[in-house]
Amino acid sequence: KLLQLAGQVFGNALARAEADRKEARLQAQLLQTQKLDVVGQLAGGVAHCFTGDGRELRDYLELGLSIGITGWICDERRGQHLRELMREIPLDRLLVETDAPYLLPRDLQPRPAHRRNEPKFLPHVVKVIAACRGEDFAAVAAATTRNALKFFGFGKAQTAS
């Protein structure tokens, strides 16, 4: 009888521990959902100078963020994974950034003597992005320009006047 009672106590303890683990998992999920609800209420945002992997990209997109791509994509050593992700970024969420004076496109020819990145090199970055996406340069350039104007609120100012 004592052995049977010990078995019941042990069984109850295991069941309680499992219930506690399940409650902790549910609390964590609730907290994550609440965080997503708060982020979903933001006016907008951008994953600046995105250099992450596919999972990070999908997480940022799920949060409603735009994705900023810099000259990093032009680095054949460090940017190859970005080239492979370009088709996963919806065109209406793609932004092109300089991160000037840093991240001069590595494959830019001729290379400027000062090695400083400048906005005038953005068309080169767009050219690489368009090639990776298998899309026309002009279409990607127009879309990313529209996206930037919208993101910074310039489109609203133009339509209000």
Side-chain angles (χ1 to χ4, degrees):
K1 191 157 184 153
L2 185 59
L3 193 55
Q4 185 180 15
L5 182 59
Q8 288 176 342
V9 169
F10 184 69
N12 288 343
L14 287 176
R16 177 66 187 169
E18 179 58 30
D20 289 346
R21 281 192 296 274
K22 185 175 181 178
E23 181 180 359
R25 277 194 311 270
L26 290 172
Q27 288 289 344
Q29 288 174 346
L30 177 61
L31 181 60
Q32 182 63 23
T33 300
Q34 289 169 337
K35 286 180 187 177
L36 290 175
D37 286 345
V38 169
V39 171
Q41 294 172 8
L42 294 176
V46 62
H48 165 64
C49 189
F50 179 78
T51 57
D53 60 22
R55 181 172 179 244
E56 289 176 71
L57 175 62
R58 289 182 288 280
D59 287 347
Y60 284 137
L61 291 171
E62 188 175 314
L63 291 173
L65 297 178
S66 293
I67 307 298
I69 301 297
T70 66
W72 189 277
I73 195 170
C74 302
D75 186 322
E76 73 284 353
R77 296 173 302 158
R78 299 180 298 172
Q80 184 59 40
H81 72 288
L82 285 178
R83 292 172 180 245
E84 296 164 6
L85 292 173
M86 285 302 100
R87 291 178 189 248
E88 293 186 40
I89 302 173
L91 192 54
D92 66 341
R93 304 270 287 285
L94 180 61
L95 293 171
V96 182
E97 304 176 281
T98 63
D99 203 31
Y102 310 105
L103 298 178
L104 176 70
R106 185 172 160 83
D107 60 354
L108 186 66
Q109 294 299 324
R111 293 193 59 78
H114 53 69
R115 301 193 39 86
R116 179 182 61 244
N117 198 5
E118 298 177 8
K120 69 181 180 180
F121 302 131
L122 283 174
H124 179 77
V125 176
V126 172
K127 179 179 152 189
V128 172
I129 291 170
C132 293
R133 293 176 62 89
E135 296 177 357
D136 180 63
F137 168 83
V140 174
T144 55
T145 299
R146 263 191 320 275
N147 297 345
L149 291 171
K150 180 180 175 186
F151 182 81
F152 290 106
F154 293 125
K156 294 175 186 169
Q158 290 176 345
T159 57
S161 41

